[in-house]
Amino acid sequence: MNVPDVPTEAGVRQALSGVLDPEIGESIIDLGLLQRIEITPQRVHVVLIPTSATCPMSGLLLEDSIKAVKRACPDGMAVSVVLDWDATWDPHNMSPELQSRFGW
Amino acid sequence: MTGLLLWRGGIGISAALAALNLLVGASGGLARLGLATPQAAIGVHGAVMACGFFGALIALERAVALRRLAGLTAPLAAGVGGVLAWTLPGTAAPAQAAWLLAAGALVGLYIQAWVTRAWSLPLLVELCGALCWGAGTVAWAADSLAAAVTGWTAFLVLTIAAERRELTQMFRLSVFAQRLFVAIISVPLAAVTLATAAAFGADTNAFVSGPWWASCAVLAIWLLRWDMAPRQWASPGWRGHTAQCLSIGYCWLLAGSLLGLAGPRLPGGGTALALHAVLLGFVVAMVFGHAPIILPTLTGLRPVYSGWARAPIWILSASLVLRGAAALEGSGQWLAVAGVGHALAIGWFACVMFIGTLRGRHAER
């Protein structure tokens, strides 16, 4: 796969769309867990929104997200993914298609 | 570096203590059914399973989720309490003290999550569950085993109910479903309060059993109707495995609750049968279902899916049906066979997870 020198936000988002919530089986992008992506020439920083204060799977989600973003970045580029515990997840963050499937 | 070593060591020791308590506690249960297994925990089988195994497992999951070294006090104390319970058969006080510490530390973890992360209804329910663990242990210290069992079972049921309610926030629930959940959850809390009061002499025991089992029955129906697991029954891989284990577990919660309601009228008394339907059929099913998700969090290793993982929940269910029939018929021989079925299901699942984890490790290299 060709990786650009500096990844685009769309590219990072595309990479994250392949990360699934292990229990729900839906993409974290469709679930609305992505808060923001910050890209500089040296680093990609991703902030996710947690859905639960005691979710034991948050570590797995972070690990999967880092792996996915690294695949979309050139070798050696720093990648960090964190959870923003002050942010509140809302069902309306979900993609319209998923909202429709989940009855919203 | 030292902190990381302590963290990993604490997780490893907690998991090892939980596994040891599972082995010793389960073999004590099998000995009760007449099998020639080690009897160290024969007198404290329920306490070791509820607090030393399930309690340690839940507390470990929470401590890892919150990533606080001090939080490992909860699973370590729960695991040590289990070991104290079966190594010191003459006195329960050290185990009771350890489990009180564990329940208190778990309450502390939930309060920390509340303060530093976010408050939610499921978090409050989990916190109440941890308080029930403490109440059950206090009741046991007051020599009321019945109240202790109510408290410990409520701890497990409320914790699972809260976890599942958290996931249903993804779906649009009717106001009726939301209010019904709150109403259901308030009944076990009242039942545990009344049972604990009865343990200290209050005349409240008559109000415990019926509402408690009725609330469990309605909770099972709630989960079957609104939880996502039954909708994911046909999913492939681990997701389908989890969905099937959980859905079958909800059926066992319902069956156990109905047995509990009918208990006194059943030949030989149905309370023990009801409890095993809930604790084995429902709670162990939850362990089977969540293991592929939780194991990577605890070990960093992801088990590779195998279709063999789907068999244990059916073996467990068949052995529970056999146990029920044997108990109603008063057949000790078939009770022992049912016990072998329980052990086979748990052992089979442990092997599948172990082999799957080895394969996962190999694949990652």
Side-chain angles (χ1 to χ4, degrees):
Chain A
M1 190 175 86
N2 287 330
V3 175
D5 288 344
V6 177
T8 62
E9 185 168 329
V12 173
R13 181 180 279 270
Q14 176 67 32
L16 287 169
S17 69
V19 178
L20 305 183
D21 179 287
E23 186 139 24
I24 304 167
E26 301 291 344
S27 148
I28 62 169
I29 295 293
D30 287 340
L31 285 167
L33 304 190
L34 176 63
Q35 187 188 71
R36 64 179 189 276
I37 299 167
E38 295 164 8
I39 301 174
T40 66
Q42 294 80 32
R43 176 171 179 256
V44 175
H45 180 62
V46 175
V47 182
L48 301 178
I49 304 171
T51 58
S52 155
T54 56
C55 175
M57 292 174 289
S58 56
L60 275 186
L61 277 183
L62 291 178
E63 193 184 307
D64 287 350
S65 301
I66 288 171
K67 279 184 189 165
V69 176
K70 276 191 170 171
R71 281 197 293 270
C73 296
D75 285 344
M77 189 164 196
V79 170
S80 58
V81 182
V82 297
L83 289 163
D84 178 0
W85 291 106
D86 292 325
T88 307
W89 178 85
D90 185 279
H92 296 100
N93 292 357
M94 291 191 289
S95 68
E97 190 268 332
L98 205 54
Q99 283 188 46
S100 163
R101 264 206 287 141
F102 286 178
W104 294 95
Chain B
M1 190 61 191
T2 311
L4 186 64
L5 279 177
L6 282 172
W7 174 251
R8 287 187 177 162
I11 292 174
I13 293 168
S14 300
L17 287 171
L20 184 62
N21 287 329
L22 168 64
L23 275 176
V24 179
S27 79
L30 293 175
R32 280 187 187 182
L33 293 177
L35 289 153
T37 50
Q39 301 191 359
I42 195 166
V44 284
H45 157 71
V48 170
M49 292 302 291
C51 304
F53 172 58
F54 292 130
L57 214 56
I58 290 168
L60 180 59
E61 211 179 291
R62 296 296 174 269
V64 168
L66 289 163
R67 306 195 71 78
R68 288 286 179 276
L69 188 59
L72 289 174
T73 304
L76 284 170
V80 168
V83 174
L84 290 171
W86 53 263
T87 51
L88 301 173
T91 170
Q96 289 160 356
W99 286 335
L100 266 183
L101 173 64
L106 187 57
V107 168
L109 275 172
Y110 288 133
I111 291 173
Q112 191 212 0
W114 188 334
V115 172
T116 62
R117 293 187 173 181
W119 127 265
S120 66
L121 172 68
L123 184 57
L124 178 63
V125 176
E126 286 178 317
L127 193 154
C128 290
L131 289 172
C132 289
W133 184 8
T137 306
V138 167
W140 188 33
D143 277 336
S144 175
L145 193 57
V149 169
T150 304
W152 295 337
T153 313
F155 159 50
L156 301 172
V157 168
L158 290 177
T159 302
I160 294 166
E163 284 180 357
R164 301 313 299 174
R165 178 66 184 88
E166 197 148 53
L167 278 171
T168 56
Q169 68 179 320
M170 301 284 172
F171 299 93
R172 185 169 194 167
L173 287 185
S174 65
V175 173
F176 170 72
Q178 293 178 44
R179 288 183 180 165
L180 180 61
F181 182 84
V182 175
I184 294 167
I185 292 307
S186 61
V187 180
L189 292 177
V192 171
T193 306
L194 293 175
T196 310
F200 287 92
D203 188 19
T204 50
N205 231 355
F207 308 103
V208 174
S209 180
W212 155 251
W213 288 118
S215 67
C216 287
V218 182
L219 175 64
I221 294 167
W222 193 98
L223 290 165
L224 284 165
R225 169 64 184 83
W226 283 293
D227 186 60
M228 64 166 51
R231 307 176 208 197
Q232 295 182 323
W233 178 276
S235 298
W238 284 128
R239 197 146 39 89
H241 157 84
T242 302
Q244 291 187 5
C245 288
L246 267 55
S247 304
I248 293 169
Y250 301 158
C251 294
W252 277 114
L253 178 62
L254 181 58
S257 307
L258 296 177
L259 280 169
L261 285 169
R265 289 178 289 280
L266 292 173
T271 307
L273 200 55
L275 273 173
H276 282 90
V278 172
L279 296 172
L280 268 169
F282 175 58
V283 182
V284 171
M286 297 301 116
V287 175
F288 284 178
H290 284 118
I293 300 166
I294 301 305
L295 204 64
T297 307
L298 297 180
T299 64
L301 301 169
R302 297 177 193 232
V304 172
Y305 173 72
S306 158
W308 292 101
R310 305 245 179 154
I313 187 65
W314 295 105
I315 297 171
L316 184 67
S317 297
S319 62
L320 273 168
V321 171
L322 179 62
R323 184 180 185 137
L328 295 177
E329 285 294 316
S331 165
Q333 191 183 358
W334 285 108
L335 270 178
V337 174
V340 172
H342 303 340
L344 176 66
I346 294 171
W348 183 321
F349 188 71
C351 287
V352 169
M353 293 309 292
F354 181 70
I355 293 167
T357 303
L358 287 182
R359 287 175 60 205
R361 195 175 174 184
H362 183 71
E364 276 182 17
R365 278 179 180 167

